[in-house]
Amino acid sequence: MQHEIARKRDLLRPNGTLSEAGYATSLILDYDRSAIKANKFRIKEWDYYLVANQDFAVALTIADNSYMGLDSISFIDFRKPYQHTKNSIRLFPMGRTRMPETSEMGYTESFCKNHFISFRKEKDRRFLKFHMDNFYDHKTLDGEISLEDHKGDAMVIATPFVEDPLAFYYNQKINCMAAKGYVNLGDKSHIFHPDDSFGVLDWGRGVWTYKNTWYWGSASGLLDGTPFGFNIGCGFGDDSEATENMLFYGHKAHKLSRVTFNIPTVNGTDNYLEPWFFTSDDDRFKMIFQPIIDRAAKTNLGILCSDQHQVFGRYTGRVVLDDGTVLTIKDLLGFAEKVFNKW
């Protein structure tokens, strides 16, 4: 059973608990940071954009995690392949980043001496602008990208946590946004064309439990000229009311049930660069994922730990739409990740 939230209302009750758990295809619940009753140090807010084509990608993050802010830029080249990520940490922003309470308007920005990242929503487009000195090998990285805001369906999920009634996860994923712009690394320019480049937004607001592991996968592209993509995920919070698994075809959502991430192992250890396999309990999602590169990062500071593996690659398989139509997918660029955090 996948419970769809149908009535617009506040995300949180007056006592700070989630008003309704389930999924939607737009931000039907209204988020208000000031309504949170949990410890303010536990609030986490972030905007993450990934823009990619068949050759390269850029990922941009602005996060205000209360006791720690994060600005991050990644550049990934699928041809070599190689990737580089550079982060900037801000201590105790405590909401001063002023992350918007909706993705549908406003701007998110973060500035420092040697970098800036800016996200701006205007009418039917999203504008991303960024710069970082000495990003890689003494080279500066900068870029400007505009994304088509197609006004179609998105994946929206409101998820509680069994361990803590004041914890919640409110998340929107927008796939298949046609991208136009550039990324310059040193004196080399990388161009995004809207006929083969697409962006995805991961917009998240919430209060999390201290220790968690999540799995997330996403892809966007064209299938015989029609925009096609998907969002899959599991492992995070109590998803008994709804999962975040959803197909998008022609910007229309098709809800899936549970998707299983089958990551190959060697001697009990995940082998991220071997093919992954995905299945769903409703038999509507079957994929083989062929990895290209693992954007891995590991941090262990005792009480704060993170082990992240965002693996980029290509999906091949089949999906079934709500009306029973079967679509065959071949070499669709995307990613799949497993992330463990204590924070």
Side-chain angles (χ1 to χ4, degrees):
M1 175 66 73
Q2 300 291 306
H3 173 65
E4 183 174 7
I5 301 170
R7 181 168 66 89
K8 189 170 181 61
R9 60 199 296 189
D10 289 339
L11 175 70
L12 301 177
R13 299 187 181 98
N15 65 1
T17 60
L18 194 64
S19 63
E20 185 175 3
Y23 82 93
T25 58
S26 64
L27 289 176
I28 193 170
L29 300 178
D30 293 330
Y31 171 77
D32 178 0
R33 181 186 175 100
S34 67
I36 295 174
K37 303 301 183 184
N39 187 307
K40 303 307 180 186
F41 281 90
R42 296 174 53 208
I43 300 174
K44 293 178 171 59
E45 302 177 319
W46 72 92
D47 291 3
Y48 167 88
Y49 284 92
L50 174 73
V51 183
N53 58 28
Q54 295 297 314
D55 295 329
F56 58 91
V58 64
L60 309 166
T61 303
I62 301 176
D64 187 323
N65 296 322
S66 298
Y67 61 84
M68 180 189 72
L70 173 69
D71 302 335
S72 179
I73 301 178
S74 298
F75 182 80
I76 309 101
D77 190 318
F78 303 127
R79 297 161 294 190
K80 293 190 176 181
Y82 87 92
Q83 69 86 23
H84 185 72
T85 297
K86 190 169 182 178
N87 300 323
S88 177
I89 302 297
R90 294 173 281 114
L91 296 178
F92 302 104
M94 300 299 295
R96 290 190 298 272
T97 314
R98 300 188 181 279
M99 309 289 283
E101 295 184 340
T102 175
S103 70
E104 296 173 354
M105 64 181 68
Y107 61 90
T108 306
E109 58 185 7
S110 184
F111 294 85
C112 196
K113 179 180 179 181
N114 299 314
H115 79 273
F116 72 83
I117 306 175
S118 172
F119 307 145
R120 191 174 81 253
K121 171 68 167 62
E122 292 186 4
K123 295 182 180 179
D124 61 347
R125 303 205 70 82
R126 298 174 184 272
F127 297 93
L128 319 179
K129 190 173 182 178
F130 48 96
H131 171 94
M132 187 169 281
D133 291 340
N134 194 22
F135 175 77
Y136 176 72
D137 195 24
H138 305 292
K139 297 175 182 177
T140 295
L141 180 141
D142 58 33
E144 294 188 31
I145 302 167
S146 68
L147 301 176
E148 172 203 19
D149 191 10
H150 50 63
K151 304 298 184 183
D153 290 340
M155 192 294 301
V156 175
I157 191 90
T159 305
F161 290 80
V162 173
E163 309 97 299
D164 184 350
L166 296 182
F168 66 93
Y169 172 50
Y170 190 42
N171 183 225
Q172 179 188 45
K173 308 274 181 43
I174 304 177
N175 285 65
C176 301
M177 292 185 286
K180 180 180 180 180
Y182 68 88
V183 180
N184 292 337
L185 180 55
D187 59 3
K188 187 168 184 179
S189 188
H190 305 267
I191 306 300
F192 291 110
H193 299 285
D195 56 346
D196 66 359
S197 304
F198 297 92
V200 60
L201 167 63
D202 174 16
W203 181 93
R205 306 290 185 266
V207 172
W208 298 359
T209 52
Y210 168 62
K211 181 179 178 181
N212 44 68
T213 299
W214 74 73
Y215 300 80
W216 179 32
S218 179
S220 295
L222 295 175
L223 187 59
D224 296 327
T226 299
F228 172 80
F230 57 79
N231 185 86
I232 54 176
C234 62
F236 195 57
D238 176 10
D239 63 358
S240 58
E241 290 295 325
T243 69
E244 63 175 280
N245 303 313
M246 194 174 284
L247 307 173
F248 303 99
Y249 186 60
H251 303 306
K252 177 177 172 55
H254 300 259
K255 188 70 180 72
L256 302 175
S257 182
R258 297 188 178 277
V259 173
T260 301
F261 287 56
N262 299 289
I263 304 173
T265 60
V266 176
N267 298 323
T269 301
D270 290 329
N271 189 357
Y272 294 101
L273 291 177
E274 290 297 313
W276 301 28
F277 298 89
F278 297 85
T279 57
S280 67
D281 62 353
D282 54 12
D283 199 34
R284 293 178 55 192
F285 190 90
K286 288 186 177 181
M287 290 285 173
I288 299 173
F289 177 68
Q290 183 64 54
I292 299 172
I293 187 172
D294 179 8
R295 192 180 73 83
K298 191 169 186 177
T299 303
N300 190 343
L301 301 176
I303 62 172
L304 299 179
C305 299
S306 181
D307 188 3
Q308 305 179 19
H309 293 268
Q310 184 183 32
V311 182
F312 291 87
R314 292 185 169 86
Y315 287 91
T316 296
R318 68 149 179 91
V319 299
V320 182
L321 303 182
D322 287 345
D323 63 2
T325 300
V326 177
L327 302 178
T328 300
I329 312 302
K330 183 174 176 56
D331 294 333
L332 179 66
L333 184 75
F335 67 85
E337 69 177 33
K338 179 182 179 181
V339 175
F340 167 78
N341 281 322
K342 290 196 298 184
W343 62 333

